[in-house]
Structures are given as structure tokens and as C-alpha cells.
Amino acid sequence: MRIVHGRVTAGHVELDEVLPDGIEVAVVVGASNEPFDLDEDQIRELEESLAEADRGEVVPAAPVIARLGWRQ
């Protein structure tokens, strides 16, 4: 797992590096057009969280959403 930066141009995501064809990706969209950077500790924490999710070590979203008072 790694983090790759890019931008949207004409409705398409353009990455700063080339990835292999067929690779599955996830896109995180910020609330604004402001770029964001993660420091090494934040990247490590994100990668650890993603690894936990890959292993199925997750909390179902419904109870979290309910606890926060959000509507589905």
C-alpha cells in the first residue's frame, strides 16, 4: 500500500507517477481544492489503518453513524 498524489483534469484523475494497468485504487477527495500533505507519521498511521481493514479488523459503519447522529 502506498499513497500517490495527483489531480483531476477534465474529469479524469492524473497521477504524479505511473501505476500498473489493472491495479485497484481508492481516491480520497478533500472538502476543498486545497492540496494536502501528510507527514511520515500520518502516512504510517494511514497505512496501518488500511492494513487493519484489509485483514477485516473494522467496525461496522452503521453504529458509528448512529452514535454521531448522522443520517444514512
Side-chain angles (χ1 to χ4, degrees):
M1 183 74 56
R2 69 179 194 250
I3 297 172
V4 179
H5 291 105
R7 69 210 49 75
V8 175
T9 303
H12 296 276
V13 176
E14 296 180 358
L15 302 176
D16 294 340
E17 63 183 82
V18 177
L19 298 176
D21 287 339
I23 193 170
E24 185 174 324
V25 299
V27 178
V28 177
V29 179
S32 70
N33 289 333
E34 294 295 318
F36 66 93
D37 289 311
L38 302 175
D39 63 32
E40 292 299 319
D41 289 336
Q42 291 169 318
I43 290 171
R44 189 172 20 265
E45 183 178 348
L46 176 59
E47 289 173 340
E48 289 171 5
S49 296
L50 292 169
E52 289 174 357
D54 288 344
R55 293 190 301 267
E57 299 170 8
V58 297
V59 175
V64 175
I65 291 170
R67 187 170 52 243
L68 294 174
W70 296 349
R71 294 182 183 206
Q72 295 185 31

